Amino acid sequence: MPLVCLTDFQAYAQEHLSKSTWDFIEGGSDECFTRDDNIAAFKKIRLRPRYLRDVREVDTRTTIQGEEIMAPICIAPTGFHCLVWPDGEMSTARAAQAAGICYIISTYASCSLEDIVATAPRGLKWFQLYPTSDRQLNKQLVQRAEALGFKALVITVDTPKMGNRRCDFRNQLDLQRNLLLKDLRSPKERHTTPYFQMSPIDSSFCWNDITWLQSLTRLPIILKGILTKEDAELAVKHNVRGIIVSNHGGRQLDDVPASIDALTEVVAAVKGKMEVYLDGGIRTGNDVLKALALGAKCVFLGRPILWGLAYKHSSNFTDTLVLPAAAESTPRTDTQHLRRMFFMLLFVSPQPPSWEQGEHGVEEVLNLIKNEFHTSMSLTGCRLVAEINQDLVQFSRL
């Protein structure tokens, strides 16, 4: 049976991934209220279509930070894609390049930045940084990304501490400890200098550090995780070039507004002085249209990309990979399996050459929602993305 919507891909991924991997991807913080509200909030918004317009030709193209993309639907930063598919972020990057959209690559990608760039050299890529307490490492990561041709630097601001992710606790997955094991140095440095455990995410990182980062690079700086007008106004004051309105997919502070509910406040606060984007809760082409109508320049997909990456994958692929002896254990529980997978991602090359087709599921997800968005534009009378405006939406009284 064909998969015809993003929730079909969600169901497929849940069926084919291990429980602990699924929980890691799908889990939210605390009671998961914000995770679920991200989706529900879109259903409170109604569309106001305009008819009797010539929509024989509808163009979904737009630009972000001066770069053209084929649709305002891009890929948000998520880590450890090799948990879902052996080729990991390399497959994701190839899918993004094929779709002609932007991919924000996470600090905690399971593939090196160099390998990701090599496999998709023409793709538009931004780099997401979790600032660590090691300022020299931050500097090296930023300058390495710029040298590799990344076009923007995305700073995640909503993670001074990991959120209270109950599913991971129940599965005895210590995400903070696993992140500290990740070697963030370049491949060349890994071969020439000894490895020391990485510094944790910097809980003291503040606005003055934004100015310091700006002094290191010519890349535009985008802040991911802004939810209030006060912080949006400070972003303008600090000459930031863009904001991604985001609550981290409901994985950090629970009970904050859904991303779509925070969007209008942020858009109003920046007064057109920078581009505003959104992630969280996008599941249909109508959702994309609603976000753009409320002021987003484009949207970013997180979990749906991982669902696509899991499509048509072999549920037993991890058993075919040779792990180092240190990772071996007695007969494993599902939780032990995920721990071993994390060990592999952090210390073992995760790109066997025979796994080069993982991008097809991601391409299907991207094509599906792009086609839905094209239909949404046609049925509301919009021929160009620039014609989408707030007159197309109203908030339900229910």
Side-chain angles (χ1 to χ4, degrees):
M1 181 181 299
L3 307 189
V4 300
C5 60
L6 263 59
T7 53
D8 283 353
F9 282 88
Q10 180 182 24
Y12 182 98
Q14 184 173 13
E15 181 181 351
H16 288 80
L17 295 174
S18 72
K19 180 181 182 300
S20 53
T21 299
W22 175 254
D23 287 348
F24 171 69
I25 293 169
E26 205 69 10
S29 61
D30 294 310
E31 298 173 299
C32 296
F33 172 81
T34 295
R35 181 199 66 179
D36 297 340
D37 195 39
N38 273 343
I39 298 170
F42 276 99
K43 302 308 176 187
K44 302 173 187 175
I45 303 170
R46 301 291 181 263
L47 294 173
R48 301 179 66 250
R50 300 297 307 277
Y51 296 125
L52 296 176
R53 293 181 171 182
D54 182 356
V55 289
R56 287 174 296 177
E57 295 184 6
V58 171
D59 189 350
T60 63
R61 291 176 298 174
T62 188
T63 62
I64 52 174
Q65 298 297 320
E67 300 278 350
E68 184 177 83
I69 51 177
M70 298 308 293
I73 305 164
C74 299
I75 300 180
T78 52
F80 299 114
H81 286 204
C82 285
L83 285 173
V84 180
W85 182 265
D87 217 22
E89 290 82 2
M90 295 171 67
S91 286
T92 306
R94 290 193 294 267
Q97 177 177 269
I101 58 158
C102 178
Y103 173 25
I104 307 178
I105 290 141
S106 170
T107 297
Y108 293 109
S110 40
C111 305
S112 73
L113 299 183
E114 288 76 8
D115 285 344
I116 294 169
V117 169
T119 200
R122 300 182 308 279
L124 175 60
K125 291 173 282 290
W126 295 356
F127 176 64
Q128 176 268 338
L129 177 69
Y130 282 115
T132 75
S133 55
D134 184 339
R135 289 174 72 91
Q136 184 62 27
L137 176 60
N138 293 333
K139 179 179 179 180
Q140 290 173 354
L141 284 169
V142 170
Q143 294 180 340
R144 181 173 150 209
E146 184 170 9
L148 286 168
F150 286 74
K151 297 299 184 182
L153 178 63
V154 178
I155 311 297
T156 296
V157 301
D158 59 4
T159 317
K161 180 180 180 180
M162 285 292 172
N164 187 36
R165 302 177 190 178
R166 295 178 183 177
C167 283
D168 291 343
F169 296 158
R170 292 189 181 106
N171 291 326
Q172 299 180 333
L173 173 63
D174 188 343
L175 181 59
Q176 181 69 40
R177 186 172 69 86
N178 279 293
L179 294 182
L180 291 178
L181 292 173
K182 173 71 177 176
D183 191 342
L184 299 177
R185 299 169 302 167
S186 69
K188 181 179 179 180
E189 291 173 315
R190 294 176 198 176
H191 287 100
T192 58
T193 59
Y195 172 69
F196 298 99
Q197 181 167 293
M198 292 296 107
S199 300
I201 294 173
D202 188 359
S203 59
S204 71
F205 191 84
C206 61
W207 289 104
N208 288 339
D209 296 300
I210 298 295
T211 303
W212 174 72
L213 283 175
Q214 288 168 328
S215 73
L216 302 179
T217 179
R218 292 175 291 181
L219 295 178
I221 289 182
I222 318 292
L223 300 186
K224 179 179 180 291
I226 299 294
L227 292 171
T228 63
K229 69 180 182 65
E230 292 87 352
D231 281 342
E233 290 167 351
L234 283 168
V236 172
K237 181 179 178 181
H238 285 81
N239 298 312
V240 168
R241 295 279 294 276
I243 286 173
I244 302 176
V245 176
S246 170
N247 51 43
H248 217 104
R251 293 163 70 85
Q252 280 301 104
L253 180 63
D254 204 12
D255 299 323
V256 299
S259 295
I260 192 66
D261 288 340
L263 177 62
T264 51
E265 178 178 329
V266 172
V267 169
V270 304
K271 300 177 180 177
K273 295 177 181 177
M274 68 177 70
E275 294 181 350
V276 177
Y277 320 105
L278 176 137
D279 78 9
I282 300 288
R283 298 293 180 267
T284 68
N286 280 353
D287 293 342
V288 179
L289 186 79
K290 291 171 184 179
L292 268 60
L294 292 173
K297 184 69 170 171
C298 84
V299 302
F300 289 89
L301 301 179
R303 291 183 180 96
I305 298 302
L306 295 171
W307 305 338
L309 200 59
Y311 185 46
K312 297 180 180 176
H313 98 314
S314 166
S315 60
N316 296 318
F317 81 82
T318 54
D319 293 325
T320 70
L321 299 178
V322 178
L323 299 182
E328 297 296 340
S329 65
T330 56
R332 69 193 185 203
T333 65
D334 190 56
T335 297
Q336 288 172 327
H337 171 67
L338 186 60
R339 289 176 181 166
R340 292 177 67 201
M341 283 299 296
F342 263 110
F343 190 98
M344 181 193 74
L345 300 186
L346 296 169
F347 295 111
V348 183
S349 176
Q351 305 101 26
S354 60
W355 295 89
E356 295 181 350
Q357 303 304 315
E359 63 265 30
H360 295 324
V362 178
E363 288 179 22
E364 289 189 41
V365 164
L366 292 170
N367 287 333
L368 191 156
I369 194 167
K370 178 186 175 183
N371 290 336
E372 288 184 353
F373 175 61
H374 187 282
T375 299
S376 299
M377 288 181 64
S378 300
L379 293 178
T380 53
C382 298
R383 293 153 295 192
L384 301 171
V385 169
E387 295 177 355
I388 301 171
N389 60 59
Q390 197 161 359
D391 292 338
L392 289 177
V393 296
Q394 68 182 32
F395 287 86
S396 170
R397 295 183 178 88
L398 297 179

